[in-house]
């Protein structure tokens, strides 16, 4: 029982680390997209969720 719990905690920690990495990559990519849009004279994307579109 304890080893299963420790395994789950380890997996949760790994998932949280991966999530942080993915979120930072997403923010960087969104910043690059906004820069490209400005370069071509288009306004940066609105903040908010994509579900509204």
């Amino acid at each position: 029982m304890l080893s299963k719990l420790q395994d789950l905690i380890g997996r949760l920690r790994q998932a949280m680390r991966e999530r942080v990495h993915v979120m930072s990559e997403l923010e960087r990519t969104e910043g690059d997209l906004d820069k490209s849009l400005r370069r071509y004279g288009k306004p940066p994307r609105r903040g908010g969720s994509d579900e509204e579109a």
Side-chain angles (χ1 to χ4, degrees):
M1 175 74 177
L2 184 59
S3 65
K4 284 184 181 180
L5 190 57
Q6 288 172 330
D7 181 50
L8 286 174
I9 291 171
R11 285 198 230 171
L12 181 62
R13 284 185 180 146
Q14 178 67 27
M16 293 301 284
R17 279 194 297 269
E18 289 175 9
R19 180 181 182 275
V20 167
H21 175 71
V22 167
M23 294 303 286
S24 66
E25 286 290 312
L26 179 62
E27 286 177 15
R28 185 179 59 80
T29 302
E30 287 178 338
D32 291 346
L33 176 60
D34 286 340
K35 278 190 242 174
S36 295
L37 289 173
R38 279 194 296 273
R39 183 180 312 138
Y40 292 106
K42 299 198 188 282
R45 297 169 304 115
R46 289 188 297 125
S49 70
D50 293 338
E51 294 172 8
E52 295 173 7

Short mmCIF file of all heavy atoms in Angstrom, two decimals:
data_model
loop_
_atom_site.label_atom_id
_atom_site.label_comp_id
_atom_site.label_asym_id
_atom_site.label_seq_id
_atom_site.Cartn_x
_atom_site.Cartn_y
_atom_site.Cartn_z
N MET A 1 0.84 -1.20 0.00
CA MET A 1 0.00 0.00 0.00
C MET A 1 0.88 1.26 0.00
O MET A 1 0.66 2.16 -0.80
CB MET A 1 -0.91 -0.04 1.23
CG MET A 1 -1.76 1.19 1.43
SD MET A 1 -3.09 1.22 0.24
CE MET A 1 -3.93 2.68 0.74
N LEU A 2 1.88 1.28 0.87
CA LEU A 2 2.74 2.46 0.95
C LEU A 2 3.54 2.65 -0.34
O LEU A 2 3.69 3.77 -0.81
CB LEU A 2 3.69 2.34 2.16
CG LEU A 2 4.57 3.54 2.43
CD1 LEU A 2 3.72 4.79 2.66
CD2 LEU A 2 5.46 3.29 3.64
N SER A 3 4.02 1.54 -0.91
CA SER A 3 4.79 1.67 -2.15
C SER A 3 3.92 2.17 -3.30
O SER A 3 4.38 2.94 -4.15
CB SER A 3 5.46 0.35 -2.52
OG SER A 3 4.48 -0.62 -2.82
N LYS A 4 2.67 1.75 -3.32
CA LYS A 4 1.75 2.25 -4.36
C LYS A 4 1.54 3.75 -4.20
O LYS A 4 1.52 4.49 -5.17
CB LYS A 4 0.40 1.54 -4.29
CG LYS A 4 0.41 0.14 -4.84
CD LYS A 4 -0.99 -0.44 -4.82
CE LYS A 4 -0.99 -1.85 -5.35
NZ LYS A 4 -2.33 -2.44 -5.33
N LEU A 5 1.39 4.18 -2.96
CA LEU A 5 1.20 5.60 -2.68
C LEU A 5 2.44 6.40 -3.09
O LEU A 5 2.33 7.45 -3.72
CB LEU A 5 0.90 5.79 -1.20
CG LEU A 5 0.43 7.17 -0.76
CD1 LEU A 5 -0.81 7.59 -1.53
CD2 LEU A 5 0.14 7.17 0.73
N GLN A 6 3.61 5.88 -2.78
CA GLN A 6 4.84 6.56 -3.15
C GLN A 6 4.99 6.62 -4.67
O GLN A 6 5.44 7.63 -5.22
CB GLN A 6 6.05 5.85 -2.54
CG GLN A 6 6.16 6.07 -1.04
CD GLN A 6 7.24 5.22 -0.40
OE1 GLN A 6 7.54 4.12 -0.87
NE2 GLN A 6 7.82 5.73 0.68
N ASP A 7 4.58 5.56 -5.36
CA ASP A 7 4.63 5.54 -6.82
C ASP A 7 3.69 6.61 -7.39
O ASP A 7 4.05 7.35 -8.31
CB ASP A 7 4.23 4.16 -7.35
CG ASP A 7 4.30 4.08 -8.86
OD1 ASP A 7 5.33 4.48 -9.43
OD2 ASP A 7 3.31 3.62 -9.45
N LEU A 8 2.49 6.72 -6.84
CA LEU A 8 1.53 7.73 -7.31
C LEU A 8 2.06 9.14 -7.06
O LEU A 8 1.91 10.02 -7.91
CB LEU A 8 0.18 7.54 -6.62
CG LEU A 8 -0.64 6.34 -7.09
CD1 LEU A 8 -1.88 6.19 -6.22
CD2 LEU A 8 -1.04 6.50 -8.54
N ILE A 9 2.66 9.35 -5.90
CA ILE A 9 3.23 10.67 -5.60
C ILE A 9 4.35 11.00 -6.58
O ILE A 9 4.43 12.13 -7.09
CB ILE A 9 3.73 10.73 -4.13
CG1 ILE A 9 2.53 10.70 -3.18
CG2 ILE A 9 4.58 11.98 -3.90
CD1 ILE A 9 2.90 10.53 -1.73
N GLY A 10 5.18 10.03 -6.89
CA GLY A 10 6.25 10.24 -7.86
C GLY A 10 5.70 10.59 -9.23
O GLY A 10 6.20 11.47 -9.92
N ARG A 11 4.65 9.89 -9.65
CA ARG A 11 4.04 10.17 -10.95
C ARG A 11 3.40 11.56 -10.97
O ARG A 11 3.47 12.27 -11.97
CB ARG A 11 2.98 9.13 -11.28
CG ARG A 11 3.58 7.81 -11.70
CD ARG A 11 2.53 7.00 -12.42
NE ARG A 11 2.46 5.67 -11.86
CZ ARG A 11 1.53 4.79 -12.17
NH1 ARG A 11 0.56 5.10 -12.99
NH2 ARG A 11 1.55 3.59 -11.64
N LEU A 12 2.78 11.94 -9.87
CA LEU A 12 2.16 13.26 -9.78
C LEU A 12 3.22 14.35 -9.88
O LEU A 12 3.04 15.34 -10.60
CB LEU A 12 1.38 13.38 -8.47
CG LEU A 12 0.66 14.70 -8.23
CD1 LEU A 12 -0.39 14.94 -9.31
CD2 LEU A 12 0.01 14.72 -6.87
N ARG A 13 4.34 14.18 -9.19
CA ARG A 13 5.43 15.16 -9.27
C ARG A 13 5.94 15.29 -10.70
O ARG A 13 6.17 16.40 -11.18
CB ARG A 13 6.57 14.77 -8.34
CG ARG A 13 6.28 15.03 -6.90
CD ARG A 13 7.49 14.74 -6.04
NE ARG A 13 7.20 15.00 -4.66
CZ ARG A 13 7.69 14.32 -3.65
NH1 ARG A 13 8.53 13.34 -3.86
NH2 ARG A 13 7.37 14.63 -2.41
N GLN A 14 6.12 14.14 -11.37
CA GLN A 14 6.60 14.16 -12.75
C GLN A 14 5.59 14.88 -13.65
O GLN A 14 5.96 15.70 -14.49
CB GLN A 14 6.81 12.72 -13.25
CG GLN A 14 7.27 12.63 -14.69
CD GLN A 14 8.66 13.19 -14.93
OE1 GLN A 14 9.49 13.20 -14.03
NE2 GLN A 14 8.88 13.67 -16.13
N ALA A 15 4.32 14.60 -13.47
CA ALA A 15 3.28 15.25 -14.29
C ALA A 15 3.27 16.76 -14.06
O ALA A 15 3.11 17.53 -15.01
CB ALA A 15 1.91 14.65 -13.97
N MET A 16 3.46 17.18 -12.81
CA MET A 16 3.47 18.61 -12.53
C MET A 16 4.68 19.29 -13.18
O MET A 16 4.57 20.39 -13.72
CB MET A 16 3.47 18.86 -11.01
CG MET A 16 2.18 18.43 -10.32
SD MET A 16 0.72 19.27 -10.95
CE MET A 16 0.93 20.85 -10.18
N ARG A 17 5.83 18.63 -13.14
CA ARG A 17 7.03 19.19 -13.80
C ARG A 17 6.80 19.31 -15.30
O ARG A 17 7.16 20.33 -15.91
CB ARG A 17 8.26 18.31 -13.53
CG ARG A 17 8.90 18.54 -12.19
CD ARG A 17 10.27 17.91 -12.11
NE ARG A 17 10.22 16.46 -12.25
CZ ARG A 17 10.11 15.60 -11.24
NH1 ARG A 17 10.05 16.05 -10.00
NH2 ARG A 17 10.07 14.32 -11.45
N GLU A 18 6.21 18.28 -15.91
CA GLU A 18 5.94 18.32 -17.34
C GLU A 18 4.94 19.43 -17.66
O GLU A 18 5.09 20.12 -18.67
CB GLU A 18 5.42 16.97 -17.82
CG GLU A 18 6.48 15.90 -17.82
CD GLU A 18 5.95 14.53 -18.18
OE1 GLU A 18 4.78 14.42 -18.60
OE2 GLU A 18 6.72 13.57 -18.05
N ARG A 19 3.94 19.62 -16.82
CA ARG A 19 2.94 20.66 -17.06
C ARG A 19 3.59 22.04 -17.03
O ARG A 19 3.30 22.89 -17.88
CB ARG A 19 1.84 20.57 -16.00
CG ARG A 19 0.76 21.61 -16.18
CD ARG A 19 -0.30 21.48 -15.08
NE ARG A 19 -1.36 22.44 -15.26
CZ ARG A 19 -1.32 23.69 -14.82
NH1 ARG A 19 -0.25 24.14 -14.19
NH2 ARG A 19 -2.32 24.51 -15.02
N VAL A 20 4.48 22.28 -16.06
CA VAL A 20 5.17 23.57 -15.97
C VAL A 20 5.97 23.81 -17.25
O VAL A 20 5.96 24.91 -17.80
CB VAL A 20 6.07 23.61 -14.72
CG1 VAL A 20 7.02 24.79 -14.77
CG2 VAL A 20 5.21 23.67 -13.46
N HIS A 21 6.65 22.78 -17.72
CA HIS A 21 7.45 22.91 -18.94
C HIS A 21 6.56 23.23 -20.14
O HIS A 21 6.85 24.14 -20.92
CB HIS A 21 8.23 21.62 -19.19
CG HIS A 21 8.98 21.62 -20.48
ND1 HIS A 21 10.10 22.40 -20.68
CD2 HIS A 21 8.77 20.97 -21.64
CE1 HIS A 21 10.53 22.21 -21.91
NE2 HIS A 21 9.75 21.35 -22.52
N VAL A 22 5.46 22.52 -20.28
CA VAL A 22 4.54 22.74 -21.40
C VAL A 22 3.95 24.14 -21.34
O VAL A 22 3.87 24.83 -22.36
CB VAL A 22 3.43 21.67 -21.43
CG1 VAL A 22 2.30 22.05 -22.37
CG2 VAL A 22 4.01 20.31 -21.82
N MET A 23 3.56 24.60 -20.17
CA MET A 23 2.98 25.93 -20.05
C MET A 23 3.99 27.01 -20.41
O MET A 23 3.65 27.99 -21.06
CB MET A 23 2.42 26.16 -18.64
CG MET A 23 1.24 25.27 -18.29
SD MET A 23 -0.15 25.42 -19.43
CE MET A 23 -0.79 27.00 -18.95
N SER A 24 5.25 26.85 -20.01
CA SER A 24 6.25 27.86 -20.35
C SER A 24 6.52 27.86 -21.85
O SER A 24 6.70 28.93 -22.45
CB SER A 24 7.54 27.66 -19.55
OG SER A 24 8.18 26.46 -19.92
N GLU A 25 6.54 26.69 -22.47
CA GLU A 25 6.70 26.63 -23.92
C GLU A 25 5.53 27.30 -24.63
O GLU A 25 5.71 28.01 -25.62
CB GLU A 25 6.81 25.16 -24.39
CG GLU A 25 8.13 24.52 -24.07
CD GLU A 25 9.26 25.08 -24.91
OE1 GLU A 25 9.11 25.21 -26.14
OE2 GLU A 25 10.30 25.43 -24.32
N LEU A 26 4.32 27.08 -24.13
CA LEU A 26 3.12 27.68 -24.73
C LEU A 26 3.18 29.20 -24.64
O LEU A 26 2.90 29.90 -25.62
CB LEU A 26 1.87 27.15 -24.02
CG LEU A 26 0.53 27.70 -24.51
CD1 LEU A 26 0.30 27.35 -25.97
CD2 LEU A 26 -0.59 27.18 -23.64
N GLU A 27 3.58 29.73 -23.49
CA GLU A 27 3.67 31.18 -23.33
C GLU A 27 4.70 31.77 -24.29
O GLU A 27 4.47 32.81 -24.91
CB GLU A 27 4.04 31.54 -21.89
CG GLU A 27 2.90 31.35 -20.92
CD GLU A 27 3.31 31.64 -19.48
OE1 GLU A 27 4.39 32.25 -19.28
OE2 GLU A 27 2.55 31.27 -18.58
N ARG A 28 5.83 31.08 -24.45
CA ARG A 28 6.88 31.56 -25.35
C ARG A 28 6.36 31.56 -26.79
O ARG A 28 6.56 32.52 -27.54
CB ARG A 28 8.12 30.68 -25.23
CG ARG A 28 9.29 31.19 -26.05
CD ARG A 28 10.51 30.31 -25.90
NE ARG A 28 10.29 28.94 -26.30
CZ ARG A 28 10.30 28.53 -27.57
NH1 ARG A 28 10.51 29.37 -28.56
NH2 ARG A 28 10.11 27.26 -27.86
N THR A 29 5.68 30.50 -27.18
CA THR A 29 5.16 30.39 -28.54
C THR A 29 4.09 31.45 -28.81
O THR A 29 4.06 32.06 -29.88
CB THR A 29 4.57 28.98 -28.76
OG1 THR A 29 5.60 28.02 -28.51
CG2 THR A 29 4.07 28.81 -30.17
N GLU A 30 3.23 31.69 -27.83
CA GLU A 30 2.21 32.73 -27.99
C GLU A 30 2.86 34.10 -28.14
O GLU A 30 2.41 34.93 -28.94
CB GLU A 30 1.24 32.73 -26.81
CG GLU A 30 0.28 31.56 -26.83
CD GLU A 30 -0.65 31.53 -25.64
OE1 GLU A 30 -0.32 32.14 -24.61
OE2 GLU A 30 -1.70 30.89 -25.75
N GLY A 31 3.93 34.35 -27.41
CA GLY A 31 4.65 35.62 -27.53
C GLY A 31 5.24 35.77 -28.93
O GLY A 31 5.18 36.84 -29.53
N ASP A 32 5.80 34.68 -29.46
CA ASP A 32 6.35 34.71 -30.82
C ASP A 32 5.25 35.00 -31.83
O ASP A 32 5.45 35.76 -32.78
CB ASP A 32 7.03 33.38 -31.17
CG ASP A 32 8.31 33.14 -30.38
OD1 ASP A 32 8.82 34.10 -29.75
OD2 ASP A 32 8.79 31.99 -30.38
N LEU A 33 4.09 34.40 -31.65
CA LEU A 33 2.97 34.63 -32.56
C LEU A 33 2.53 36.08 -32.52
O LEU A 33 2.30 36.70 -33.57
CB LEU A 33 1.80 33.71 -32.20
CG LEU A 33 0.52 33.89 -33.02
CD1 LEU A 33 0.78 33.64 -34.49
CD2 LEU A 33 -0.57 32.98 -32.49
N ASP A 34 2.42 36.65 -31.32
CA ASP A 34 2.01 38.05 -31.21
C ASP A 34 3.03 38.97 -31.90
O ASP A 34 2.66 39.93 -32.56
CB ASP A 34 1.84 38.45 -29.74
CG ASP A 34 0.57 37.87 -29.13
OD1 ASP A 34 -0.34 37.50 -29.90
OD2 ASP A 34 0.50 37.80 -27.89
N LYS A 35 4.32 38.66 -31.75
CA LYS A 35 5.35 39.47 -32.42
C LYS A 35 5.20 39.39 -33.93
O LYS A 35 5.32 40.40 -34.63
CB LYS A 35 6.75 38.98 -32.03
CG LYS A 35 7.24 39.50 -30.70
CD LYS A 35 8.69 39.16 -30.52
CE LYS A 35 8.83 38.26 -29.33
NZ LYS A 35 10.15 37.72 -29.11
N SER A 36 4.94 38.19 -34.44
CA SER A 36 4.76 38.02 -35.88
C SER A 36 3.54 38.78 -36.38
O SER A 36 3.57 39.40 -37.44
CB SER A 36 4.63 36.54 -36.24
OG SER A 36 5.81 35.85 -35.95
N LEU A 37 2.45 38.72 -35.62
CA LEU A 37 1.24 39.44 -36.02
C LEU A 37 1.49 40.94 -36.08
O LEU A 37 1.07 41.61 -37.02
CB LEU A 37 0.09 39.13 -35.05
CG LEU A 37 -0.50 37.72 -35.14
CD1 LEU A 37 -1.49 37.51 -34.00
CD2 LEU A 37 -1.16 37.49 -36.47
N ARG A 38 2.20 41.48 -35.08
CA ARG A 38 2.51 42.91 -35.08
C ARG A 38 3.40 43.28 -36.28
O ARG A 38 3.22 44.32 -36.89
CB ARG A 38 3.19 43.31 -33.78
CG ARG A 38 2.21 43.53 -32.64
CD ARG A 38 2.86 44.24 -31.47
NE ARG A 38 3.92 43.47 -30.86
CZ ARG A 38 3.74 42.57 -29.89
NH1 ARG A 38 2.53 42.32 -29.43
NH2 ARG A 38 4.76 41.92 -29.39
N ARG A 39 4.33 42.40 -36.60
CA ARG A 39 5.24 42.66 -37.71
C ARG A 39 4.47 42.82 -39.01
O ARG A 39 4.83 43.62 -39.87
CB ARG A 39 6.25 41.52 -37.84
CG ARG A 39 7.28 41.74 -38.94
CD ARG A 39 8.26 40.60 -39.07
NE ARG A 39 8.82 40.20 -37.79
CZ ARG A 39 9.00 38.93 -37.41
NH1 ARG A 39 8.67 37.95 -38.21
NH2 ARG A 39 9.52 38.66 -36.24
N TYR A 40 3.40 42.07 -39.16
CA TYR A 40 2.61 42.14 -40.40
C TYR A 40 1.41 43.07 -40.27
O TYR A 40 0.49 43.02 -41.07
CB TYR A 40 2.16 40.74 -40.81
CG TYR A 40 3.34 39.90 -41.24
CD1 TYR A 40 3.82 38.89 -40.42
CD2 TYR A 40 4.01 40.15 -42.44
CE1 TYR A 40 4.92 38.13 -40.79
CE2 TYR A 40 5.11 39.42 -42.81
CZ TYR A 40 5.56 38.41 -41.99
OH TYR A 40 6.65 37.68 -42.36
N GLY A 41 1.43 43.93 -39.25
CA GLY A 41 0.43 44.97 -39.13
C GLY A 41 -0.92 44.52 -38.59
O GLY A 41 -1.90 45.24 -38.67
N LYS A 42 -0.96 43.32 -38.03
CA LYS A 42 -2.22 42.85 -37.45
C LYS A 42 -2.15 43.06 -35.93
O LYS A 42 -1.09 42.95 -35.34
CB LYS A 42 -2.44 41.38 -37.76
CG LYS A 42 -2.52 41.12 -39.25
CD LYS A 42 -3.16 39.79 -39.51
CE LYS A 42 -3.09 39.39 -40.94
NZ LYS A 42 -4.00 40.01 -41.81
N PRO A 43 -3.28 43.34 -35.31
CA PRO A 43 -3.24 43.51 -33.86
C PRO A 43 -2.95 42.19 -33.17
O PRO A 43 -3.27 41.13 -33.71
CB PRO A 43 -4.66 43.99 -33.51
CG PRO A 43 -5.50 43.54 -34.66
CD PRO A 43 -4.60 43.49 -35.86
N PRO A 44 -2.31 42.23 -32.01
CA PRO A 44 -2.07 40.99 -31.27
C PRO A 44 -3.40 40.33 -30.92
O PRO A 44 -4.43 40.98 -30.85
CB PRO A 44 -1.33 41.41 -30.01
CG PRO A 44 -1.08 42.86 -30.14
CD PRO A 44 -1.79 43.39 -31.34
N ARG A 45 -3.34 39.03 -30.73
CA ARG A 45 -4.55 38.29 -30.40
C ARG A 45 -5.13 38.77 -29.08
O ARG A 45 -4.41 39.23 -28.21
CB ARG A 45 -4.24 36.79 -30.27
CG ARG A 45 -3.76 36.20 -31.57
CD ARG A 45 -3.20 34.81 -31.38
NE ARG A 45 -2.13 34.83 -30.40
CZ ARG A 45 -2.20 34.20 -29.22
NH1 ARG A 45 -3.22 33.49 -28.90
NH2 ARG A 45 -1.20 34.27 -28.39
N ARG A 46 -6.43 38.66 -28.95
CA ARG A 46 -7.09 39.00 -27.69
C ARG A 46 -6.67 38.00 -26.62
O ARG A 46 -6.46 36.84 -26.91
CB ARG A 46 -8.62 38.85 -27.81
CG ARG A 46 -9.29 39.86 -28.65
CD ARG A 46 -10.80 39.74 -28.52
NE ARG A 46 -11.27 38.46 -29.02
CZ ARG A 46 -12.00 37.60 -28.33
NH1 ARG A 46 -12.37 37.86 -27.12
NH2 ARG A 46 -12.40 36.46 -28.86
N GLY A 47 -6.62 38.47 -25.39
CA GLY A 47 -6.43 37.53 -24.29
C GLY A 47 -7.73 36.79 -24.07
O GLY A 47 -8.79 37.22 -24.50
N GLY A 48 -7.67 35.66 -23.43
CA GLY A 48 -8.89 34.90 -23.17
C GLY A 48 -8.79 33.52 -23.77
O GLY A 48 -7.80 33.15 -24.38
N SER A 49 -9.84 32.77 -23.60
CA SER A 49 -9.81 31.39 -24.04
C SER A 49 -10.16 31.28 -25.52
O SER A 49 -10.86 32.12 -26.08
CB SER A 49 -10.77 30.55 -23.21
OG SER A 49 -12.09 30.89 -23.51
N ASP A 50 -9.70 30.21 -26.14
CA ASP A 50 -10.01 29.96 -27.54
C ASP A 50 -11.44 29.45 -27.70
O ASP A 50 -11.93 29.38 -28.80
CB ASP A 50 -9.04 28.92 -28.11
CG ASP A 50 -7.62 29.46 -28.20
OD1 ASP A 50 -7.48 30.70 -28.21
OD2 ASP A 50 -6.69 28.66 -28.22
N GLU A 51 -12.08 29.06 -26.62
CA GLU A 51 -13.41 28.48 -26.69
C GLU A 51 -14.43 29.50 -27.15
O GLU A 51 -15.47 29.16 -27.66
CB GLU A 51 -13.82 27.93 -25.33
CG GLU A 51 -12.95 26.74 -24.91
CD GLU A 51 -13.23 26.32 -23.47
OE1 GLU A 51 -14.18 26.84 -22.88
OE2 GLU A 51 -12.47 25.49 -22.96
N GLU A 52 -14.14 30.81 -26.99
CA GLU A 52 -15.07 31.85 -27.38
C GLU A 52 -15.17 31.98 -28.88
O GLU A 52 -16.16 32.42 -29.41
CB GLU A 52 -14.63 33.19 -26.79
CG GLU A 52 -14.69 33.23 -25.29
CD GLU A 52 -14.08 34.51 -24.75
OE1 GLU A 52 -13.75 35.41 -25.55
OE2 GLU A 52 -13.92 34.60 -23.53
N ALA A 53 -14.12 31.60 -29.59
CA ALA A 53 -14.07 31.78 -31.06
C ALA A 53 -14.95 30.78 -31.77
O ALA A 53 -15.29 29.75 -31.29
CB ALA A 53 -12.65 31.64 -31.54
#
